[in-house]
Amino acid sequence: MMFAASRMFGLFLVVIAIGVVVALWAQCGSNGCSFIPQQKIVATPTSTPVAEFGTNEIHVAGIMQGDSIQSPVIITGEAIPDWYIGGSFTVRLLDSAGHGLAYAQAKPSDPTPVNGFIPFTVSFAFFPNTPTGTVLFEKNLGSGLPDFPTTVALPVSFPNYTQATATPEPVISPTPTPTPSATPVSTGTLKGTMTIGPICPVQQSGKTCASSVKMFADRPITVSKTDQAMAPITIIPGPTGEFSQELAPGQYYVSMVPQIMGSITGVPTTIKITAGKTTTMNISVDTGIRTPENTDTASSDGF
């Protein structure tokens, strides 16, 4: 009896084995099956879009860390109402050594808060003396606590900066005397010199503190007849600030575009040109950069 049961159990196992073989053959065919171990699925990290520069108190639009800025620069953004104590907050531009290049007051462009922030705009001109610098946003009357910083620093670069040793010095030659016309007594000459300074925010020496050709070229002089009898004439100073122009006799109005920072002495003014004679004038441009000689009203960083 037990022998018969054993034979029946063995026969049952044989039938199961044959069924498995037939099932595999039907699924895989005559070429056999290849078994691939199950691979572990790893999630592919997604890139996080870069947001605008800022903190939970102030956001700067359109400028990220390391971006390049050129003069004059306009900075816009938004800040929480606490930054506008007194109606504005200070924005400073420093060079890589921490010396001040420019500063201005950021004022709200719209006093209505949006999502807890008030938009602002600020602009200033500057002359870079290093390839990189920092825009410093200063919260007026801040708490001074570590969790609530009163300043926010934005590193930037200056694409227009050129080392003095990298560019050959321009050949300085005196401005040639205007060629006499066929009737010399019918014209007169306006002649003068423009000076620009200070160039460096601290007392320094060397080529980096000398006026450049571009500084004079960026400050053209406009001469127009007081009776508007002729179109205005634009005079570009030479590489050392000298300028000369032949003009018909008469009264003239001499002017320049005002600077965002500093001041200009000598213009606007009215001059008289006399036939056969030279009228001289001097123009002094104050860049607004503070030096040890004019820091009576300056703050600790040179302004």
Side-chain angles (χ1 to χ4, degrees):
M1 188 74 176
M2 292 182 61
F3 178 74
S6 298
R7 293 191 61 185
M8 288 295 294
F9 181 73
L11 182 61
F12 178 73
L13 293 177
V14 171
V15 171
I16 291 177
I18 293 174
V20 171
V21 172
V22 171
L24 291 175
W25 184 84
Q27 181 178 359
C28 304
S30 59
N31 294 329
C33 293
S34 58
F35 296 95
I36 301 175
Q38 184 178 5
Q39 296 180 351
K40 184 178 179 181
I41 300 177
V42 181
T44 303
T46 58
S47 59
T48 303
V50 179
E52 294 181 331
F53 176 82
T55 66
N56 59 348
E57 292 189 355
I58 182 172
H59 304 153
V60 180
I63 304 178
M64 296 296 297
Q65 294 191 36
D67 281 359
S68 60
I69 61 174
Q70 301 183 40
S71 176
V73 63
I74 301 176
I75 301 176
T76 60
E78 57 184 8
I80 62 175
D82 287 352
W83 276 66
Y84 298 96
I85 297 177
S88 63
F89 60 89
T90 303
V91 180
R92 301 179 187 272
L93 181 63
L94 311 178
D95 63 13
S96 59
H99 301 139
L101 298 177
Y103 82 105
Q105 294 296 315
K107 298 182 179 180
S109 54
D110 186 348
T112 305
V114 178
N115 297 326
F117 287 84
I118 298 176
F120 69 85
T121 182
V122 64
S123 63
F124 46 76
F126 61 93
F127 300 102
N129 54 12
T130 56
T132 59
T134 303
V135 180
L136 196 65
F137 301 88
E138 297 183 356
K139 179 180 178 183
N140 293 342
L141 302 178
S143 65
L145 299 177
D147 293 337
F148 301 95
T150 58
T151 60
V152 175
L154 171 59
V156 293
S157 60
F158 306 128
N160 290 339
Y161 168 76
T162 303
Q163 270 187 318
T165 55
T167 304
E169 288 294 320
V171 177
I172 300 175
S173 58
T175 302
T177 304
T179 302
S181 58
T183 55
V185 295
S186 65
T187 61
T189 303
L190 170 62
K191 193 172 185 179
T193 302
M194 179 187 295
T195 58
I196 301 176
I199 305 302
C200 296
V202 295
Q203 192 66 26
Q204 298 177 354
S205 61
K207 297 179 180 179
T208 58
C209 291
S211 302
S212 66
V213 176
K214 185 177 184 302
M215 290 182 186
F216 292 110
D218 288 343
R219 291 168 171 81
I221 304 166
T222 301
V223 180
S224 58
K225 265 294 191 66
T226 55
D227 57 3
Q228 300 181 351
M230 54 171 277
I233 297 175
T234 300
I235 305 175
I236 305 298
T240 58
E242 73 287 347
F243 57 90
S244 180
Q245 180 67 41
E246 189 176 84
L247 298 168
Q251 295 282 343
Y252 290 87
Y253 180 73
V254 184
S255 63
M256 290 177 60
V257 176
Q259 299 190 134
I260 297 177
M261 287 180 56
S263 61
I264 303 176
T265 304
V267 291
T269 187
T270 301
I271 62 171
K272 180 180 180 180
I273 297 296
T274 304
K277 294 185 178 182
T278 298
T279 301
T280 60
M281 65 177 300
N282 294 317
I283 300 175
S284 176
V285 177
D286 182 354
T287 61
I289 298 175
R290 297 300 180 186
T291 66
E293 287 78 12
N294 57 6
T295 55
D296 293 339
T297 59
S299 59
S300 58
D301 66 346
F303 290 93

